[in-house]
Amino acid sequence: MQFTPSHLDELRAVVGEDGVLSSEAARFTYEADALTLDRAMPDVVVLPRSTDEVAAVVRWAHVHGVPVTPRGAGTGLAGGATPERGGIVLSLNRMDRVLHVDPERLFAWVEPGLVNLWLSQQVARHGLYYAPDPASQQVSTVGGNVSTNAGGPHCLKYGVTLNHVLGIVAVLHDGMVVSLGGEAPDSPDFDLASVIVGSEGTLAVVTEICVRLLPKPEAVKTMLFDFTTIEAACQTVSAVIAAGIVPAAMEIMDQHTTRLVEDWLHLGLPLDAGAVLLIEVDGPTVSLAAQVQCIRDEADARGARSTRIARDEAERAAIWRGRKSAFGAYGRSASGFYIMDGVVPRTRLAEALSTVYALCEERGLEAGNVFHAGDGNLHPHVLFDAGDPAAQARALEASHEILRMCIRMGGTISGEHGVGIEKRPMMLELFAPEDLATMERLRAAFDPGGTLNPGKILPGEGGGREAGHPERALGPAQLGGMRVGAGDVEGPWI
Amino acid sequence: MQFTPSHLDELRAVVGEDGVLSSEAARFTYEADALTLDRAMPDVVVLPRSTDEVAAVVRWAHVHGVPVTPRGAGTGLAGGATPERGGIVLSLNRMDRVLHVDPERLFAWVEPGLVNLWLSQQVARHGLYYAPDPASQQVSTVGGNVSTNAGGPHCLKYGVTLNHVLGIVAVLHDGMVVSLGGEAPDSPDFDLASVIVGSEGTLAVVTEICVRLLPKPEAVKTMLFDFTTIEAACQTVSAVIAAGIVPAAMEIMDQHTTRLVEDWLHLGLPLDAGAVLLIEVDGPTVSLAAQVQCIRDEADARGARSTRIARDEAERAAIWRGRKSAFGAYGRSASGFYIMDGVVPRTRLAEALSTVYALCEERGLEAGNVFHAGDGNLHPHVLFDAGDPAAQARALEASHEILRMCIRMGGTISGEHGVGIEKRPMMLELFAPEDLATMERLRAAFDPGGTLNPGKILPGEGGGREAGHPERALGPAQLGGMRVGAGDVEGPWI
């Protein structure tokens, strides 16, 4: 549809003059999320301030058959917020309030545009926090996290976003407002709130979220171990779980990553370590000493060369800074890289990593690995020279093979980033046609006209690009893909 | 449809001679689940042994337009397994195997007919267990638990069934077999496994379940406190949570219930206590002493008269036996009773209980309360003389008002038993028409012909019985309702 001035006026009547962005300069920002290789210009960007305004905009779009792509902070890595078919980008950033906190019943109602970390900051005075902590939490929004069912380093112990959403108010494709789930831990309706979580805006636009809050753990201990080999680090991860301990986080950085980070930030990381392993435990103070000792014993038994235990919050922050700066460190070192988000069984991590290195090496490429080891959630970074199209093609091929390896090993193609546009073709390899048909049936039940964020998740919505064998269709726009510039980005996005 | 001998032969060809029950005597058992006031005779009972057999039976039913009602152990309290419109009862009890255990990745694939407790017993050799523990766990099946999204005393800390299901293999209305979710903690598909959990067989027949296993806690401490008033017990529950402790269980029995149990089992429960409060904590041994002390302090500060702490497994079992025998004790004391399954905010428990007593008292009825206090999940038992129809009508009215109170207080009408037939009309009071329409849309997407367990959950499927104002339609068949005989039933069903 061609947007006319009178169309824009109709939208302005709903959200106000400053709630409609139509100039090319303003729309440019909304062409892509952090998966910048895939871009599409929206016809208009609309910034509502309430559920009622969202409902009115979605109803307007329904009547005019215009696609609506909801968007949070745009930190997504799979192209879920890219308006592939134009239309309206519905930016929810102005809806950023904490609506209500119930510190006794341990929940809060929030708007989707609320930045993840602000939520924990706002409930801190009650001794509470919101557990899901995607590494993007300083920027990304609760609504965006709901959209991708975001994970984070602490999801090993605490679960992903899905496990912390009790209820949702959402606008359906025709503008109808519904309330799904609720404040009680087990609502007696079909669990539609759960099906909305992770659906990337293809089923409904989420406008209010009831999230579970947790009491802050009394104490935290953060440890950093240094191993000669990455295999020993991986074995320690499995040994700790086998010992009956569920740490709050277990994160590994390989040698390549450790060197890049140290070269940049000078945190005192060991340059000759095969890998470093970060383990954090939390809980009642009295329970931590024994857990720390048990973890040290397991690490020592696997040849840990040194152990650093944070003595205070500053030391803890330094350890985490090293982990969270990996993304920026890659950006400093290579002009282009692809990040994968694959999952393998935790017990096969070492084998998976060795395959990742081999797949890259045989294509003359370097790979760096930093990952949520406790969850088996890999984030291989395949580095390449962005000025060399042949190298980029080889990197893409390697990335594709990495995800295939995850599927073959009994894992999956996304641990937390979502499917979006990026992994749409891979769905054909992961799921049987019957499974995909069930998803399409659900999608059609919610959005028969296909105007809510079309082209995401389902390969059947790829406009035929994935119709044949998926490999034929794979291009930078579909698989992997993000480039960052020089290393001024201490990006917390993985 | 009239079942002919040749129809039965077609079904026997799928599941074998002994897999089809067609005599009236054999079918009689399948007329109802534990909600015995609502009965309907199935035309035939079919007992498949595999996913393929389930698929073939469901496909047959689809072709013939015959309703299919899946059934586990029949311990449900809401009529979810009652074949209201006849047809096939699909009893899944023969599919009771543990298919695969992965002790390192902490999951197991099981069949739906597996008894809940057997699962924990079979994985115990790995130091693991399955956390959701409905009080019926010695009898009820994992598939039945999935169907109602069952809770249990330990769900305060560990979450309900939904939080422990990773993946599902299910048969759709036309016999198609799909695989939803999977072994990874965050599958990238729409979260259809979660929407199947709690859907009471109305969306698909679940034939294989991937459940999360947990390491057994190193230690457990079980305490029993005795208070002068039930208000003090309720305040202690909130105070413990506010102190940052999340016990594994917090259960309250009121004076009436305590007396009935003591009269029967002679466990040494205090006859003059206003209420007893059972609290259990688990975790690393070193962490428990401090938690026990903190809980004792909170209880003492609210006037706890005595504290019993189990010194060994036998004492622990005795404390739990008192709690779990409440159901049977009511059965000994009254010829009829209704059990409600309402939820109120934990912080308003005392207020809710006082309303429950008043609603019963003003109708000349006795009420007993035993409940999952940590979750705010009430189980009021309204006692009546089954030989007095007027008393029964008053009990029904009181029960109805109790659920209305839960809704008014911001709670809900089911904490764990499901909706089934029993609470179908109450859905009209709990949800807005838009919310119900969304549920109907989902139901229609999965089962357009409406042959999978028709008449459950959705008021629109009540055959018009709930079409008008719900109150008009309420009868024993819809609301509450279960009668047990003399007290020989140490029933673990609540």
Side-chain angles (χ1 to χ4, degrees), chain A residues 102 104-106 148-151 160 162-163 172-174 176-181 183-192 194-195 197-200 202-203 212 215-216 238 241 244-246 284 286-288 290-291 343-347 375 409-419 427 430-431 433-435 437-448 456-458, chain B residues 102 104-106 148-151 160 162-163 172-174 176-181 183-192 194-195 197-200 202-203 212 215-216 238 241 244-246 284 286-288 290-291 343-347 375 409-419 427 430-431 433-435 437-448 456-458:
Chain A
D102 191 321
E104 288 186 302
R105 293 174 66 194
L106 302 177
T148 60
N149 190 14
V160 292
L162 175 67
N163 305 118
L172 300 184
H173 76 112
D174 56 359
M176 192 159 89
V177 178
V178 296
S179 167
L180 307 169
E183 296 161 358
D186 179 11
S187 179
D189 56 338
F190 293 111
D191 192 10
L192 289 169
S194 289
V195 91
V197 177
S199 68
E200 305 188 21
T202 63
L203 303 182
R212 182 199 306 268
K216 268 194 233 176
S238 282
I241 296 273
I245 295 175
V246 181
V286 291
S287 72
L288 293 194
Q291 290 189 47
V343 178
V344 298
R346 182 173 54 225
T347 46
D375 299 309
M409 291 179 81
T412 187
I413 58 173
S414 173
E416 55 183 1
H417 297 176
V419 178
M427 295 288 276
L430 183 60
F431 291 102
E434 294 79 13
D435 306 341
T438 311
M439 298 180 210
E440 278 161 9
R441 206 181 294 196
L442 178 81
R443 161 90 163 128
F446 273 87
D447 183 19
K456 307 299 153 56
I457 304 180
L458 295 169
Chain B
D102 191 323
E104 287 186 305
R105 294 172 67 194
L106 302 177
T148 59
N149 190 13
V160 291
L162 176 67
N163 306 118
L172 301 184
H173 77 112
D174 57 359
M176 192 159 87
V177 178
V178 296
S179 167
L180 307 169
E183 295 162 359
D186 179 11
S187 179
D189 56 337
F190 292 112
D191 192 10
L192 289 169
S194 290
V195 90
V197 176
S199 68
E200 305 188 22
T202 62
L203 304 182
R212 183 199 306 267
K216 267 194 234 176
S238 283
I241 297 273
I245 295 175
V246 181
V286 292
S287 72
L288 293 194
Q291 290 188 49
V343 178
V344 298
R346 184 173 51 225
T347 45
D375 299 309
M409 290 180 82
T412 187
I413 58 173
S414 172
E416 55 182 2
H417 296 176
V419 177
M427 295 289 276
L430 184 61
F431 292 103
E434 295 78 14
D435 306 341
T438 311
M439 297 179 210
E440 277 162 8
R441 205 180 295 195
L442 179 81
R443 161 91 163 127
F446 272 87
D447 184 19
K456 306 298 152 58
I457 303 179
L458 295 168

Side-chain angles (χ1 to χ4, degrees), chain A residues 1-3 7-8 11 27 30 40-46 54 56-71 80-91 172-174 200-205 421 443 447-456 461:
Chain A
M1 184 187 102
Q2 188 66 39
F3 272 76
H7 287 141
L8 298 178
L11 291 169
R27 288 182 289 136
Y30 297 87
M41 194 73 137
D43 292 301
V44 61
V45 179
V46 179
V54 171
V57 173
V58 171
R59 199 177 308 119
W60 186 94
H62 172 66
V63 168
H64 292 82
V66 171
V68 174
T69 300
R71 180 186 171 101
T82 301
E84 204 184 28
R85 303 188 191 166
I88 295 173
V89 162
L90 198 64
S91 172
L172 300 184
H173 76 112
D174 56 359
E200 305 188 21
T202 63
L203 303 182
V205 181
I421 297 173
R443 161 90 163 128
D447 183 19
T451 50
L452 288 181
N453 207 6
K456 307 299 153 56
E461 298 203 11

Side-chain angles (χ1 to χ4, degrees), chain B residues 323-371:
Chain B
R323 164 62 184 85
K324 293 193 174 176
S325 303
F327 183 91
Y330 291 125
R332 286 181 84 229
S333 82
S335 56
F337 62 83
Y338 290 124
I339 307 172
M340 299 294 98
D341 175 38
V343 178
V344 298
R346 184 173 51 225
T347 45
R348 297 180 71 182
L349 272 172
E351 176 192 349
L353 290 165
S354 136
T355 307
V356 167
Y357 294 121
L359 286 168
C360 291
E361 200 175 334
E362 66 201 29
R363 289 170 179 81
L365 300 163
E366 278 195 302
N369 281 288
V370 51
F371 52 100

Side-chain angles (χ1 to χ4, degrees), chain A residues 343-360:
Chain A
V343 178
V344 298
R346 182 173 54 225
T347 46
R348 297 180 71 182
L349 271 173
E351 176 192 349
L353 291 165
S354 136
T355 306
V356 167
Y357 293 122
L359 286 169
C360 291

Side-chain angles (χ1 to χ4, degrees), chain A residues 106-108 110 114-124 127-138 140-142 145-146 149-166 209-217 220 247-249 251 280 282 316 320 324 372 375 416, chain B residues 246:
Chain A
L106 302 177
F107 65 76
V110 305
L114 178 70
V115 168
N116 175 299
L117 193 62
W118 298 359
L119 171 54
S120 286
Q121 287 168 348
Q122 290 198 42
V123 299
L128 302 175
Y129 78 115
Y130 176 60
D133 61 336
S136 63
Q137 69 178 147
Q138 294 176 41
S140 68
T141 61
V142 177
N145 300 165
V146 165
N149 190 14
H154 290 86
C155 292
L156 170 61
K157 178 169 179 178
Y158 291 104
V160 292
T161 301
L162 175 67
N163 305 118
H164 298 269
V165 171
L166 297 169
I209 306 154
C210 182
V211 295
R212 182 199 306 268
L213 301 175
L214 294 183
K216 268 194 233 176
V220 178
E251 304 279 314
E280 186 165 276
D282 63 17
R316 177 175 176 240
W320 274 109
K324 293 193 174 176
H372 309 311
D375 299 309
E416 55 183 1
Chain B
V246 181

Side-chain angles (χ1 to χ4, degrees), chain B residues 379-450:
Chain B
H379 287 312
H381 291 59
V382 182
L383 313 179
F384 58 88
D385 174 357
D388 177 353
Q392 179 161 352
R394 290 199 307 277
L396 190 64
E397 187 187 73
S399 303
H400 186 196
E401 288 304 322
I402 288 170
L403 291 185
R404 288 209 157 132
M405 168 202 75
C406 293
I407 296 175
R408 271 198 312 275
M409 290 180 82
T412 187
I413 58 173
S414 172
E416 55 182 2
H417 296 176
V419 177
I421 296 173
E422 182 202 26
K423 302 186 199 81
R424 198 170 56 193
M426 294 301 294
M427 295 289 276
L428 288 167
E429 306 200 23
L430 184 61
F431 292 103
E434 295 78 14
D435 306 341
L436 290 170
T438 311
M439 297 179 210
E440 277 162 8
R441 205 180 295 195
L442 179 81
R443 161 91 163 127
F446 272 87
D447 184 19

